[in-house]
Amino acid sequence: MQEQQSAAGDRRQARRVTLAVAAAGICSFALLYAPQPLLPQLAAEFGLDPGRASLSIGFATGALALAVLPIAALSEVIGRRPVIVTSVLASVALGVLLSFAPNYPVFLVLRVLQGVAIAGFPGVAAAYLTEQLGPPVSHHHPDGGATRRRSHPPVSHRHPDGGATRRRSHAIGVAAAVGAMIAGNTVGGMTGRLAAGFTTDLFGWRGALGAVTGVALLCALLTVLLLPRSTRQRADNGATSARGLVAGMGASLRAPVLLVQYSVALLAMGSFVALYNAAGFRLTGAPLELSPAIAALVYLAYAMGAVSSGTAGRLVGRFGRVRSLVAALLITVAGAALTLPDSLPMVVAGFVVLTGGFFAAHAVANGWAAAEAPAQARGQVSGMYTLAYYLGSSIGGTVGTAVYGHAGWGPLVAVTACWLGLAGLGVLLFARR
């Protein structure tokens, strides 16, 4: 009976943690991507060309990428929850200020600061979930446990599988929570883009950013109210000292299984952003020739990403990490291939499929990295994964868009298929455990 009550309590705690982190993801990514559909209005307001207007996105994501590792290290010292709470509240406060920016330089400075603030969530969220929902940290007594053994005789009724069932349950729970977090990130990015795009005609770009900030504020308050303080003590292994932080960074870069997850983040995100960057040109150009407003609805395919990332835990539980991740990468390639014909239904179907595949791969890889992170390096591993993810967005997106501009859609699909294939090959060769 006591075990059943404990299990029920664990499930309630897991639901609360998952909901709070999903709300934080919606808040963060709605704010991060809200200016994207407003670039023409920003250009008109401040007299910019499209390239300078796009800096409002590039500066924020670049600042996020650069801030991830320092903030992940900071979370080892002050804890994960304070970092996440500060991140969502500061991001919303800066979102309010953005609507009142008097000129473009001030707007860009605020976007840089907002990118740094947002980095506090993706940089530590996976590590937080692992600590809250993963297996408890084992603390070893300096005498090797002799004192504990004398005062607490061994229990003879251990589970016959040696704890494998419980470890598997923890792995599935972490993967499911990370999947829900990524689903929240996906919904946030889609919500920010669509809400801003649909309200700008009524309220202008300032009012549109205000509307997105209002939604983000509600999610931030939900996060503050629901996100529990850590109920488990982190391993007391020197991770909070300067030497421990350096050792943690080294540990985050030594394990092949972790390096593979970083490469998946880099290559898959680069492929995904490259395809979406070029999608507007493909949809508005010959022979499809859609209006820009209709073409922007392609972001609705992100809804499939929310569904697929949310099912990552069940995929891992049924098929294992290797097969789940490789299958998700292959689905992404198949979706990209579906977009090759000059047929609108095929292009739309292709984006739905590749979006679902990408977000499933991201959920599995992110959860895998968090689960494999050494106890003294969870924050650094989470930060390294996020850094690779956003470097992929920046570098892969730029290179892929250049390929499209010089060679067209077919070569772009071929290049992204190669990148995704390399990621899958790395999983098969170096991550099998």
Side-chain angles (χ1 to χ4, degrees), residues 15-378:
R15 286 194 294 269
R16 179 178 172 180
V17 170
T18 300
L19 179 59
V21 172
I26 294 173
C27 169
S28 300
F29 289 91
L31 293 170
L32 183 63
Y33 291 113
Q36 193 169 54
L38 306 177
L39 296 183
Q41 287 74 29
L42 290 173
E45 173 85 8
F46 297 119
L48 310 171
D49 59 38
R52 290 184 64 202
S54 70
L55 294 178
S56 61
I57 301 296
F59 275 28
T61 54
L64 190 159
L66 293 176
V68 158
L69 290 179
I71 290 177
L74 178 65
S75 76
E76 297 286 354
V77 179
I78 68 173
R80 320 288 187 207
R81 186 184 186 277
V83 170
I84 294 174
V85 169
T86 302
S87 170
V88 295
L89 293 178
S91 301
V92 169
L94 289 162
V96 172
L97 295 177
L98 277 171
S99 295
F100 299 97
N103 53 54
Y104 195 55
V106 171
F107 189 90
L108 289 180
V109 169
L110 291 172
R111 283 292 285 169
V112 168
L113 294 175
Q114 193 174 47
V116 172
I118 291 171
F121 170 70
V124 305
Y128 173 83
L129 290 173
T130 301
E131 289 174 355
Q132 290 294 106
L133 305 178
V137 175
S138 176
H139 298 276
H140 299 286
H141 195 277
D143 67 359
T147 302
R148 181 177 177 88
R149 285 193 297 269
R150 286 194 299 269
S151 59
H152 299 281
V155 179
S156 61
H157 53 275
R158 297 183 64 183
H159 195 281
D161 66 1
T165 300
R166 182 158 190 177
R167 288 194 298 271
R168 183 178 179 85
S169 175
H170 282 307
I172 295 171
V174 171
V178 170
M181 175 190 74
I182 294 173
N185 300 351
T186 305
V187 171
M190 183 175 68
T191 300
R193 290 177 174 102
L194 293 177
F198 290 160
T199 57
T200 185
D201 286 340
L202 294 174
F203 307 115
W205 69 266
R206 296 179 188 273
L209 287 180
V212 175
T213 302
V215 173
L217 175 60
L218 294 176
C219 293
L221 293 176
L222 188 63
T223 299
V224 173
L225 292 173
L226 291 181
L227 193 70
R229 287 179 170 81
S230 180
T231 56
R232 296 178 182 173
Q233 184 179 2
R234 285 178 288 149
D236 185 13
N237 47 23
T240 59
S241 67
R243 181 178 298 176
L245 294 175
V246 172
M249 180 58 67
S252 73
L253 295 172
R254 279 196 297 268
V257 67
L258 292 176
L259 296 178
V260 167
Q261 308 319 311
Y262 306 153
S263 71
V264 170
L266 182 78
L267 294 169
M269 183 59 166
S271 302
F272 182 72
V273 172
L275 290 165
Y276 265 97
N277 276 356
F281 298 100
R282 174 86 189 282
L283 293 171
T284 57
L288 299 176
E289 295 183 334
L290 301 178
S291 69
I294 298 300
L297 293 176
V298 72
Y299 289 118
L300 289 173
Y302 271 58
M304 179 55 70
V307 173
S308 67
S309 58
T311 63
R314 291 194 293 273
L315 289 174
V316 170
R318 183 170 182 181
F319 301 108
R321 288 170 176 151
V322 170
R323 285 190 288 179
S324 297
L325 183 48
V326 171
L329 292 169
L330 289 175
I331 289 171
T332 309
V333 173
L338 285 175
T339 66
L340 286 170
D342 292 326
S343 163
L344 183 58
M346 291 293 289
V347 171
V348 171
F351 271 100
V352 170
V353 171
L354 74 88
T355 300
F358 165 74
F359 278 106
H362 174 36
V364 175
N366 198 359
W368 195 346
E372 293 291 338
Q376 77 275 18
R378 283 174 175 158

